[in-house]
């Protein structure tokens, strides 16, 4: 329902400029000209709304999940690019030239003034480049911080360039009502960017944290714990995540998303289960106790708080245990009456974290490369394993929460649907897309 609301709100926001333009734009032109203008208007409005989608606004992201919001953002950005690419070519065959006395409504002609055309061309090229960079970020080898800076600056430039192009080159954008509309929408978009890069860091500066401990869990996995400095901590739900910045200014781009592995009932300290993968995570062992840290969050809806199902199934692959560990800890600390089971998969036995705390009751350990005399499950987390762990009744009544490799979640989700588990009882979050 929340996703449906997001889609409807998005469609209203991006099509409203099209409706307003049709009311104030004057006599109709040939179909291909109107289509060209319509696609340009849609592309611009979609780009401006993208600022809101990617702005980490909790009202939006925590309702449907930040992963869903960001996936929607990616799809719509690519759709906007297609509209923008088609926009100029549909004007072919249209007489061109500067403003003419006999055509005050620009019904017959398009401007050839260099300035408004050049800003449109520049935005056209920048948008294509921005989408390509986002799709191929991993392959291009950009550091996350570099990519994020380029993405933010590039989006801002596109918005400003398109504002100029739309107002001065467009037939509809030059109408006073539409000019004010585009100015307002651009202002809101830029404001959302300033919120993320300026206001949020200012709030973080007033609510700092410090590193309380750094503990090695396995050869390449660590537990980082932070404690609040002069404030009560974070109001969050087990299973949520934050953007964590350790040892840098709150205005720094050096922040990364990590799931909270501690439980709200355990107190104000927050713990994170972190695997050595990227530039920051490989330096975890070097972080000193007392190092300043900043948090932005909480985000995500991978939580079982308030749910009415009689049981909770937790399915984790590798470091995907982190948010599920927070949920499990919360269930245990609060004496929650709901039944629960955990499937926890890894490649080798040395990768199993928190085994002593997790225990054996209600926990199924899975290794794809098990040692001799291994008494747990061997192989991968798949439909067959899930069938062995859960009963028919549990498939239909329990809530299933999973986090781990995308291929694992895809396989398990498909199998759960086949076994009759309603989709609203399957909770997962993804942060890697094509």
């Amino acid at each position: 329902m929340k996703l449906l609301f997001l889609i409807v709100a998005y469609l209203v926001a991006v099509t409203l400029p099209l409706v307003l333009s049709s009311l104030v734009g004057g006599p109709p032109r040939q179909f291909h000209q109107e289509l060209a203008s319509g696609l340009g208007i849609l592309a611009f409005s979609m780009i401006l709304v993208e600022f809101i989608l990617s702005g980490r606004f909790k009202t939006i992201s925590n309702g449907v999940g930040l992963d869903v919001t960001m996936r929607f953002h990616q799809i719509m950005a690519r759709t906007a690019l297609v509209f923008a690419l088609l926009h100029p070519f549909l004007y072919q065959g249209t007489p061109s030239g500067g403003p003419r006395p006999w055509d005050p409504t620009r019904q017959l002609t398009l401007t050839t003034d260099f300035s408004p055309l050049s800003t449109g061309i520049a935005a056209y090229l920048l948008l294509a480049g921005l989408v390509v960079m986002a799709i191929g970020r991993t392959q291009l080898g950009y550091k996350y911080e570099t990519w994020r800076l380029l993405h933010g600056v590039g989006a801002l430039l596109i918005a400003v360039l398109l504002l100029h192009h739309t107002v001065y080159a467009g037939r509809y954008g030059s109408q006073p009502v539409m000019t004010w509309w585009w100015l307002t929408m651009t202002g809101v978009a830029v404001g959302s960017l300033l919120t993320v890069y300026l206001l949020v860091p200012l709030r973080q500066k007033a609510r700092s944290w410090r590193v309380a401990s750094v503990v090695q869990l396995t050869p390449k996995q660590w537990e980082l714990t932070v404690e609040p400095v002069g404030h009560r901590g974070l109001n969050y739900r087990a299973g949520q995540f934050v953007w964590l910045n350790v040892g840098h200014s709150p205005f720094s781009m050096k922040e990364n998303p990590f799931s909270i592995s501690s439980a709200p009932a355990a107190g104000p300290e927050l713990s994170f289960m972190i695997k050595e993968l990227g530039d920051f995570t490989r330096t975890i062992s070097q972080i000193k106790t007392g190092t300043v840290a900043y948090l932005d969050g909480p985000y995500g809806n991978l939580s079982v708080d308030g749910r009415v199902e009689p049981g909770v199934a937790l399915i984790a692959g590798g470091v995907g245990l982190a948010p599920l560990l927070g949920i499990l800890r919360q269930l245990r600390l609060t004496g929650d009456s709901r039944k629960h089971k955990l499937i926890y998969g890894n490649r080798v036995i040395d990768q199993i974290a928190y085994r002593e705390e997790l225990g054996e009751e209600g926990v199924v350990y899975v290794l794809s490369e098990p040692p001799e005399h291994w008494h747990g499950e061997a192989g991968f987390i798949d439909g067959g394993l899930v069938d062995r762990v859960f009963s028919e009744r549990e498939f239909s009544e329990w809530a299933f929460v999973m986090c781990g490799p995308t291929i694992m979640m895809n396989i398990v989700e498909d199998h759960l649907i086949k076994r009759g588990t309603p989709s609203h009882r399957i909770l997962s979050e993804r942060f890697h897309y094509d």
Side-chain angles (χ1 to χ4, degrees):
M1 183 61 68
K2 292 178 180 178
L3 178 58
L4 178 61
F5 177 79
L6 173 65
I7 294 172
V8 171
Y10 184 90
L11 290 175
V12 170
V14 300
T15 56
L16 187 55
L18 199 62
V19 174
L20 291 176
S21 296
S22 68
L23 297 176
V24 302
R29 300 171 295 179
Q30 295 181 22
F31 174 76
H32 71 280
Q33 296 174 22
E34 295 294 350
L35 180 60
S37 292
L39 290 177
I41 291 169
L42 283 174
F44 188 25
S45 59
M46 290 170 73
I47 289 168
L48 294 179
V49 177
E50 292 296 282
F51 282 79
I52 308 299
L53 281 180
S54 60
R56 298 191 201 169
F57 293 104
K58 296 175 186 177
T59 303
I60 300 174
S61 61
N62 287 4
V64 298
L66 188 60
D67 64 322
V68 175
T69 305
M70 294 309 296
R71 184 53 169 165
F72 192 68
H73 163 68
Q74 289 180 323
I75 294 173
M76 292 301 101
R78 296 175 195 184
T79 303
L81 175 61
V82 172
F83 289 171
L85 292 176
L86 292 174
H87 164 69
F89 293 105
L90 289 172
Y91 281 121
Q92 286 185 358
T94 303
S96 61
R100 298 177 182 177
W102 60 86
D103 186 26
T105 64
R106 303 186 190 184
Q107 181 179 357
L108 302 176
T109 61
L110 300 176
T111 182
T112 54
D113 294 344
F114 176 75
S115 179
L117 288 182
S118 65
T119 51
I121 294 170
Y124 183 96
L125 297 175
L126 272 174
L127 178 60
L130 207 64
V131 172
V132 169
M133 283 176 57
I135 294 174
R137 178 170 67 89
T138 303
Q139 293 83 351
L140 293 171
Y142 284 105
K143 289 184 177 181
Y144 172 75
E145 297 83 5
T146 303
W147 172 82
R148 184 183 172 198
L149 177 62
L150 292 174
H151 200 71
V153 173
L156 180 60
L157 283 173
I158 290 170
V160 173
L161 290 169
L162 283 180
L163 176 63
H164 180 270
H165 174 71
T166 301
V167 171
Y168 290 98
R171 175 196 187 194
Y172 297 106
S174 62
Q175 300 296 324
V177 171
M178 293 310 302
T179 297
W180 280 108
W181 175 262
W182 291 121
L183 283 169
T184 301
M185 284 190 69
T186 303
V188 171
V190 173
S192 70
L193 201 64
L194 292 176
T195 298
V196 173
Y197 290 98
L198 183 60
L199 295 183
V200 169
L202 284 173
R203 289 200 301 265
Q204 291 176 341
K205 192 173 181 64
R207 292 175 58 85
S208 65
W209 299 69
R210 62 175 163 237
V211 175
S213 65
V214 180
V215 178
Q216 188 167 18
L217 302 170
T218 70
K220 289 193 176 293
Q221 294 181 111
W222 300 78
E223 181 185 76
L224 175 71
T225 301
V226 297
E227 58 187 6
V229 179
H231 58 92
R232 295 183 178 180
L234 190 70
N235 183 20
Y236 70 100
R237 293 175 289 147
Q240 291 189 293
F241 71 95
V242 300
W243 291 82
L244 177 64
N245 173 344
V246 179
H248 302 283
S249 161
F251 298 95
S252 170
M253 297 286 179
K254 296 182 182 295
E255 59 176 359
N256 296 274
F258 292 107
S259 295
I260 304 170
S261 58
S262 52
E269 289 189 347
L270 301 182
S271 293
F272 306 92
M273 178 183 174
I274 300 174
K275 184 177 181 179
E276 295 181 21
L277 289 172
D279 295 327
F280 167 70
T281 56
R282 291 193 184 99
T283 67
I284 293 293
S285 62
Q286 303 169 23
I287 296 175
K288 305 297 183 184
T289 302
T291 302
V292 67
Y294 298 98
L295 306 180
D296 178 23
Y299 293 101
N301 63 350
L302 198 69
S303 171
V304 298
D305 290 4
R307 298 189 69 92
V308 297
E309 291 87 355
V312 179
L314 305 170
I315 303 175
V319 75
L321 175 68
L324 308 193
L325 181 61
I327 293 173
L328 183 61
R329 284 171 165 170
Q330 183 72 359
L331 292 173
R332 291 176 173 178
L333 285 172
T334 58
D336 197 298
S337 61
R338 287 175 288 184
K339 296 179 181 179
H340 54 268
K341 296 179 183 179
L342 168 66
I343 298 178
Y344 178 26
N346 284 286
R347 184 174 61 84
V348 296
I349 195 169
D350 287 345
Q351 293 176 336
I352 299 177
Y354 300 104
R355 188 169 186 179
E356 184 175 341
E357 177 185 347
L358 293 174
E360 300 294 330
E361 185 178 355
V363 180
V364 178
Y365 297 97
V366 187
L367 295 180
S368 59
E369 298 178 14
E372 292 186 21
H373 311 300
W374 169 250
H375 299 295
E377 291 281 348
F380 297 94
I381 299 177
D382 56 16
L385 172 62
V386 172
D387 282 342
R388 292 194 295 274
V389 175
F390 300 103
S391 68
E392 197 71 36
R393 184 173 182 177
E394 290 166 349
F395 277 123
S396 62
E397 295 182 355
W398 282 27
F400 284 76
V401 189
M402 66 188 75
C403 188
T406 300
I407 187 171
M408 179 206 83
M409 292 195 290
N410 289 341
I411 291 172
V412 174
E413 282 184 349
D414 290 343
H415 187 73
L416 291 175
I417 295 296
K418 289 178 182 178
R419 293 304 305 265
T421 305
S423 59
H424 68 272
R425 290 193 178 136
I426 303 174
L427 287 73
S428 64
E429 284 186 328
R430 290 169 170 78
F431 296 96
H432 292 91
Y433 310 111
D434 54 10

